[in-house]
């Protein structure tokens, strides 16, 4: 009925990109349009998760191994100095480089969220509210 | 605190029993994940699972009991111990090879004359570096959780602090 | 509830249009020969119909024209260092010894492939994970490639990142410990 390969195979062959774009735009909208400070922090987290998912999905190699399956980047076989260490050949591995880089990104995201939450707690104790509009009004009343 | 009705949390027998059973097994699994050489895993992943067990215990039993299990002095000491291990091993590689090797080149230790250089590298990675990273990550996440969840106490006596302006929080 | 803000929606739609515009350069999902996984097309090619090209490649000599063109683009040229040519299925591997401080050894760097259209010989360049997957077992000995890469090939990144998580913990302590005694 519908020829799904229009546009040179952009829409079906790259569906990981479109899912990640959708999540990214949702997180970005939450970051700039909502007034509550806590919702902005959650939007930041959604944004980071979308980018990490996209980057890890770039290292997949499923199309090159029909019938065998692509494995995670762990060498099949035992350690070479143990007795009888045999390493299998001809196995297709996924790319280990995106996993390494994204481990660092996940931890940096967690650290950023922790400091942002601590700042929100301090702001609540100072101003008594978390809404962005009321904080701006109180700052204007103070005469800054 | 005066105007609130009811208790802050209630005691629940099922949750307390299950938590008391599960926390040691979660910690053993975290140690298995931390040595990430034979299967999936690594320092960060194992440290986070370990911190999850501490958070589970604190959520079930209250924050003062959780703080008694992990005192503040131990927490502050474990914060930096992992980082000392990692950076220290790197410096050890320069010192023990008398300046011939670079920073963090594990094959330059004198251990590589007994075993092969690849075996030395695997030993240092899995036993020293990953455990160090896991200790730091576990301690930092537990410390962040305790800081975010603690609420300030009220100081009831006005007579003691005469010179201070802010007495009650 | 607050009404939906129009400026934010406009910005988001504009960003979405930008993402759709750049979407044709993204590799397919699961492609094993994408630039991130295997090799990158350098678009340097010579005519494959010349006499004696295959014989000279089998003898292990790269023609001068190809080396000069590779050098003109800015990549390390094979004729200046020691190199060797091996034949694999689909093309030829070129191993060159890049300039390093201690003990340079020849490693897989270029891949010469025969294209049917136009009868050309195109030069590709291998990516880093190819060497990673082949040499991980004998150089480090840890079966898990991700942990081996984190702690040995990319050890400086992990050291900096442990410092980041440590600094975040210290920052939370500095912000929140004035409210009472823990």
């Amino acid at each position: 009925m519908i020829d799904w390969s229009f546009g040179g195979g952009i829409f079906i062959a790259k569906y990981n990109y479109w899912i990640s774009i959708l999540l990214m735009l949702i997180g970005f909208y939450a970051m700039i349009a909502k007034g509550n400070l806590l919702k902005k922090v959650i939007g930041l987290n959604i944004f980071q998760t979308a980018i990490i998912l996209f980057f890890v999905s770039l290292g997949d190699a499923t199309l090159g191994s029909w019938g065998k399956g692509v494995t995670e980047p762990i060498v099949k076989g035992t350690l070479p100095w143990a007795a009888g260490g045999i390493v299998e050949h001809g196995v297709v591995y996924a790319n280990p480089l995106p996993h390494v880089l994204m481990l660092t990104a996940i931890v940096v995201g967690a650290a950023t969220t922790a400091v942002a939450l601590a700042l929100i707690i301090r702001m609540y104790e100072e101003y008594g509210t978390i809404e962005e509009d009321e904080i701006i009004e109180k700052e204007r009343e103070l005469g800054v | 605190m005066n105007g609130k009705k009811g208790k802050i949390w209630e005691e629940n027998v099922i949750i307390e029993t299950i938590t008391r059973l599960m926390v040691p097994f979660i910690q053993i699994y975290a140690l298995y994940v931390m040595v990430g050489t034979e299967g999936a895993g690594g320092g960060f992943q194992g440290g986070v699972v370990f911190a999850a067990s501490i958070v589970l215990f604190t959520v079930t039993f209250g924050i003062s009991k959780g703080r008694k299990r992990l005192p503040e002095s131990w927490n502050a000491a474990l914060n930096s111990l992992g980082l000392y291990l990692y950076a220290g091993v790197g410096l050890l590689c320069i010192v023990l090879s008398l300046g011939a090797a670079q920073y963090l080149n594990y094959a330059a230790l004198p251990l590589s004359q007994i075993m092969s250089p690849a075996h030395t590298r695997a030993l240092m990675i899995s036993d020293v570096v990953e455990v160090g990273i896991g200790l730091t990550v576990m301690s930092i996440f537990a410390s962040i959780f305790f800081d975010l969840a603690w609420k300030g106490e009220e100081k009831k006596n006005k007579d003691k602090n005469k010179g201070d302006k802010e007495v009650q929080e | 509830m607050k009404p939906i803000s129009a400026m934010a929606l406009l910005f988001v739609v504009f960003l979405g249009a930008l993402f759709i515009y750049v979407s044709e350069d993204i590799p397919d999902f699961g492609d094993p020969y994408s630039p991130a996984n295997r090799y990158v097309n350098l678009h340097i090619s010579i005519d494959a119909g010349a006499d004696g090209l295959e014989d000279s490649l089998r003898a292990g000599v790269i023609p001068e024209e190809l080396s000069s063109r590779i050098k003109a683009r800015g990549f390390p040229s094979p004729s200046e260092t020691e190199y060797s040519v091996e034949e694999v299925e689909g093309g030829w591997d070129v191993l060159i010894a890049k300039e390093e401080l201690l003990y340079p050894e020849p490693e897989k760097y270029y891949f010469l492939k025969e294209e049917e259209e136009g009868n050309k010989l195109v030069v590709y360049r291998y990516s880093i994970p190819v060497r990673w997957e082949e040499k991980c077992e004998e150089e480090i000995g840890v079966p898990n490639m991700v942990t081996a890469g984190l702690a040995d090939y990319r050890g400086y990144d992990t050291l900096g990142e442990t410092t980041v998580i440590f600094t975040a913990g210290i920052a939370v302590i500095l912000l929140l410990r004035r409210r009472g005694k823990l």
Side-chain angles (χ1 to χ4, degrees):
Chain A
M1 291 195 326
I2 311 179
D3 186 15
W4 283 113
S5 67
F6 64 94
I10 285 188
F11 288 103
I12 292 294
K14 302 178 188 176
Y15 64 93
N16 61 334
Y17 183 61
W18 300 117
I19 294 177
S20 157
I21 294 289
L22 187 67
L23 276 175
M24 247 192 259
L25 290 177
I26 290 177
F28 188 62
Y29 177 76
M31 252 169 60
I32 60 179
K34 298 284 185 177
N36 200 349
L37 284 181
L38 211 50
K39 296 188 182 176
K40 289 183 195 272
V41 170
I42 291 182
L44 179 76
N45 252 312
I46 295 179
F47 202 142
Q48 268 169 341
T49 303
I51 291 186
I52 288 173
L53 272 178
F54 173 58
F55 208 85
V56 171
S57 80
L58 274 183
D60 198 18
T62 345
L63 290 183
S65 69
W66 290 118
K68 268 189 296 186
V70 60
T71 69
E72 68 275 5
I74 295 179
V75 173
K76 293 223 170 239
T78 57
L79 295 172
W81 57 79
I86 305 173
V87 176
E88 276 183 35
H89 287 287
V91 188
V92 179
Y93 296 112
N95 197 0
L97 189 63
H99 298 247
V100 168
L101 300 176
M102 287 302 114
L103 262 179
T104 304
I106 291 174
V107 174
V108 166
T112 298
T113 303
V115 178
L117 288 178
L119 277 173
I120 288 181
I121 290 182
R122 287 294 292 153
M123 283 180 80
Y124 180 69
E125 289 176 359
E126 285 286 323
Y127 294 106
T129 171
I130 322 184
E131 298 285 330
E132 183 190 32
D133 311 328
E134 302 175 15
I135 291 180
I136 290 182
E137 276 191 25
K138 283 194 180 163
E139 283 279 328
R140 260 193 219 132
E141 281 172 18
L142 285 179
V144 172
Chain B
M1 282 287 273
N2 292 332
K4 280 197 187 157
K5 305 173 193 168
K7 302 184 262 184
I8 297 182
W9 87 96
E10 294 182 355
E11 298 163 355
N12 197 341
V13 175
I14 300 180
I15 297 183
E16 283 193 3
T17 315
I18 290 187
T19 306
R20 220 182 284 144
L21 277 176
M22 287 300 294
V23 164
F25 292 107
I26 296 180
Q27 292 184 341
I28 290 184
Y29 178 65
L31 286 179
Y32 164 70
V33 165
M34 225 192 256
V35 181
T37 57
E38 284 281 347
F44 297 106
Q45 295 92 314
V48 167
V49 176
F50 209 110
S53 85
I54 294 180
V55 167
L56 173 67
F57 185 82
T58 305
V59 162
T60 311
F61 285 101
I63 196 168
S64 15
K65 280 196 188 171
R67 211 34 168 173
K68 238 192 299 181
R69 290 287 174 169
L70 186 65
E72 194 177 334
S73 54
W74 278 80
N75 210 349
L78 280 176
N79 264 353
S80 40
L81 185 68
L83 201 49
Y84 277 145
L85 269 179
Y86 195 154
V89 157
L91 260 180
L92 206 67
C93 297
I94 295 187
V95 166
L96 277 186
S97 72
L98 303 174
Q102 305 98 340
Y103 188 62
L104 285 180
N105 190 1
Y106 306 124
L109 298 177
L111 266 179
S112 67
Q113 266 132 28
I114 313 176
M115 314 185 269
S116 59
H119 202 178
T120 312
R121 278 202 184 113
L123 202 72
M124 297 301 282
I125 285 178
S126 76
D127 286 346
V128 179
V129 166
E130 301 285 339
V131 167
I133 296 176
L135 276 179
T136 292
V137 167
M138 179 269 287
S139 167
I140 288 283
F141 277 128
S143 156
I144 285 178
F145 172 71
F146 280 122
D147 272 339
L148 285 177
W150 183 260
K151 218 165 95 169
E153 278 180 356
E154 285 186 6
K155 297 182 186 160
K156 293 175 196 155
N157 306 330
K158 283 187 202 170
D159 310 329
K160 282 186 186 175
N161 315 322
K162 277 183 189 170
D164 296 345
K165 290 179 190 165
E166 295 173 346
V167 172
Q168 281 189 353
E169 299 190 284
Chain C
M1 276 184 44
K2 247 180 73 167
I4 300 180
S5 129
M7 281 294 294
L9 261 183
L10 211 61
F11 207 29
V12 163
V13 164
F14 168 68
L15 210 61
L18 197 66
F19 280 138
I20 293 180
Y21 175 63
V22 300
S23 76
E24 67 176 326
D25 287 332
I26 312 283
D28 290 346
F29 187 36
D31 189 11
Y33 301 118
S34 63
N37 285 344
R38 194 144 173 94
Y39 39 59
V40 167
N41 197 346
L42 291 183
H43 296 291
I44 305 175
S45 61
I46 65 172
D47 201 10
D51 303 332
L53 186 67
E54 285 203 10
D55 296 337
S56 73
L57 278 177
R58 265 190 214 121
V61 174
I62 292 190
E64 258 311 307
E65 183 190 350
L66 201 57
S67 294
S68 61
R69 269 207 225 164
I70 290 179
K71 181 148 190 224
R73 287 280 295 269
F75 295 103
S77 124
S79 56
E80 292 183 357
T81 60
E82 52 169 298
Y83 69 93
S84 58
V85 182
E86 290 179 5
E87 182 168 4
V88 293
E89 53 170 291
W92 280 273
D93 270 346
V94 179
L95 292 85
I96 68 174
K98 292 188 291 186
E99 300 194 4
E100 286 184 23
L101 295 172
L102 330 154
Y103 322 123
E105 284 182 14
E107 288 176 359
K108 259 167 56 157
Y109 204 76
Y110 294 117
F111 178 62
L112 305 175
K113 190 169 159 184
E114 290 176 351
E115 296 272 326
E116 291 302 327
E117 317 158 351
N119 208 9
K120 288 182 173 302
L121 197 72
V122 188
V123 180
Y124 286 74
R125 183 180 61 105
Y126 275 114
S127 307
I128 293 183
V130 170
R131 180 196 189 269
W132 197 326
E133 284 171 16
E134 289 176 0
K135 296 265 185 85
C136 174
E137 191 68 30
E138 56 174 276
E139 278 193 356
I140 302 184
V142 171
N144 192 353
M145 284 190 234
V146 173
T147 307
L150 252 189
D152 198 21
Y153 284 137
R154 296 252 171 188
Y156 277 112
D157 292 347
T158 311
L159 182 67
E161 190 216 329
T162 314
T163 308
V164 161
I165 191 77
F166 176 70
T167 308
I170 297 289
V172 171
I173 287 181
L174 278 178
L175 275 175
L176 290 181
R177 284 259 176 119
R178 283 206 212 144
R179 301 179 289 157
K181 217 142 166 44
L182 253 173

